[in-house]
Amino acid sequence: MTLDQLENHRPARIAAVDTKDAVLLRLMEMGLVPGASVAVKKRAPFGGPLELQVGDYLLSIRTREARAFTVEQP
């Protein structure tokens, strides 16, 4: 399952990242790395950005970028 498919408020761990884009490398620098715990807190309507809980902080990313992150639920 990819990050954009994760239900709101469900904890998950990042399993893999498809790093074809420089933006994704920047997101990895901000903590979205394999093994990191993540949860979707909010979703903007009509396929807009997702607000993520990554560790102790919130991060908003585009839906198309969220598709590059494979997650596993416990």
Side-chain angles (χ1 to χ4, degrees):
M1 156 186 337
T2 58
L3 189 52
D4 66 309
Q5 298 169 331
L6 188 63
E7 293 179 32
N8 287 4
H9 306 288
R10 294 285 183 140
R13 291 213 178 271
I14 297 176
V17 182
D18 182 9
T19 58
K20 293 179 184 173
D21 190 357
V23 173
L24 297 173
L25 294 174
R26 179 68 178 132
L27 290 173
M28 290 179 70
E29 290 174 351
M30 291 194 275
L32 290 174
V33 294
S37 103
V38 64
V40 176
K41 292 298 182 181
K42 296 179 188 175
R43 294 174 188 272
F46 308 110
L50 306 174
E51 182 179 75
L52 308 175
Q53 176 80 41
V54 182
D56 295 335
Y57 66 95
L58 297 174
L59 176 67
S60 293
I61 67 171
R62 295 180 191 110
T63 302
R64 75 167 188 256
E65 292 162 355
R67 290 184 188 120
F69 294 89
T70 303
V71 296
E72 299 173 338
Q73 289 184 306

